[in-house]
Amino acid sequence: AQSVTQLDSHVSVSEGTPVLLRCNYSSSYSPSLFWYVQHPNKGLQLLLKYTSAATLVKGINGFEAEFKKSETSFHLTKPSAHMSDAAEYFCVVSPPTSGTYKYIFGTGTRLKVLA
Amino acid sequence: SAVISQKPSRDICQRGTSLTIQCQVDSQVTMMFWYRQQPGQSLTLIATANQGSEATYESGFVIDKFPISRPNLTFSTLTVSNMSPEDSSIYLCSVSDRGRLSNEQFFGPGTRLTVL
């Protein structure tokens, strides 16, 4: 079965310090992986996606993630946190089965940025 | 990309009633999905809306409770039937298109439902 685990439900960082949000996946096939952000009372926005091209993926707003098959991980990083980064972040796996392109969401990580 | 709108954006309903949520996309897409996000929780897929045929429901969701229509490639509705307070959630639709959008999904802004 396909699944995705976000290891931290809450992460707090100071403004200007690095951000690390951890995600591990389980998939029998080579999956597509995504990170989405949800700001309070806003919709979901795609940050970045991995679809079997380069293992280091750069996204919007300075975020990037590295696909590590040996560790089954797809951690999200940013060198320097900004106050506007405070939001809920979801790691998503989309296994290429049945051609349905369904998403399986992680439980989410709430990022708090301290001034 | 795709631009998705949902109506209503929020509603407060009485238990036992039903609410129909509309999802409109600005271009034809092959796939439309409906999700539920319970308070403080992640998103759970309810069903895949299939154009011209019955929706495909995920485990734990049934057609009698969440009937779905998809009359064309740009529009879908989700009805939450015989509501109870446990149905209070944000309901989101998303779209994907194998050809144009790869397997990336684009999400609507959501419908915030409160059941009293």
Side-chain angles (χ1 to χ4, degrees):
Chain A
Q2 329 297 331
S3 66
V4 59
T5 302
Q6 291 185 244
L7 296 154
D8 306 294
S9 58
H10 293 81
V11 170
S12 291
V13 301
S14 297
E15 190 176 21
T17 64
V19 176
L20 170 64
L21 304 183
R22 298 183 293 167
C23 173
N24 286 93
Y25 69 92
S26 170
S27 177
S28 304
Y29 307 93
S30 182
S32 295
L33 293 158
F34 306 82
W35 276 99
Y36 280 82
V37 61
Q38 187 178 39
H39 287 91
N41 299 313
K42 296 282 182 66
L44 282 157
Q45 182 183 20
L46 178 68
L47 280 176
L48 50 81
K49 63 181 178 181
Y50 167 77
T51 54
S52 75
T55 56
L56 182 62
V57 181
K58 294 188 184 298
I60 62 172
N61 301 334
F63 285 94
E64 62 181 41
E66 185 172 6
F67 173 72
K68 292 187 176 180
K69 187 175 182 178
S70 60
E71 299 176 10
T72 61
S73 69
F74 190 58
H75 301 334
L76 182 70
T77 60
K78 182 174 181 178
S80 175
H82 191 272
M83 296 298 289
S84 61
D85 294 328
E88 187 86 19
Y89 291 80
F90 293 99
C91 183
V92 177
V93 63
S94 180
T97 54
S98 305
T100 59
Y101 300 98
K102 290 196 291 189
Y103 273 11
I104 299 169
F105 276 78
T107 50
T109 298
R110 184 169 296 276
L111 176 64
K112 187 174 181 179
V113 182
L114 307 171
Chain B
S1 67
V3 178
I4 303 115
S5 60
Q6 286 185 233
K7 290 182 182 179
S9 58
R10 58 177 62 227
D11 207 342
I12 300 173
C13 301
Q14 298 297 320
R15 69 168 65 216
T17 63
S18 298
L19 176 72
T20 295
I21 302 167
Q22 299 179 3
C23 177
Q24 178 77 53
V25 63
D26 67 340
S27 57
Q28 293 186 343
V29 291
T30 51
M31 313 196 76
M32 297 182 79
F33 305 90
W34 285 98
Y35 290 84
R36 180 177 72 183
Q37 186 177 24
Q38 294 176 300
Q41 304 290 317
S42 185
L43 280 77
T44 301
L45 180 63
I46 297 172
T48 302
N50 301 309
Q51 195 263 330
S53 65
E54 196 169 282
T56 304
Y57 290 83
E58 297 299 306
S59 176
F61 297 97
V62 294
I63 188 171
D64 289 347
K65 176 66 176 178
F66 297 102
I68 287 170
S69 78
R70 189 171 173 197
N72 56 52
L73 293 176
T74 63
F75 185 79
S76 178
T77 66
L78 168 76
T79 299
V80 186
S81 302
N82 188 25
M83 288 184 285
S84 67
E86 292 71 36
D87 295 319
S88 297
S89 297
I90 299 172
Y91 292 86
L92 299 101
C93 73
S94 73
V95 305
S96 184
D97 187 278
R98 257 180 232 119
R100 186 166 54 84
L101 305 177
S102 183
N103 62 338
E104 180 179 335
Q105 289 186 25
F106 293 85
F107 287 83
T111 296
R112 185 179 294 271
L113 171 62
T114 302
V115 184
L116 303 177

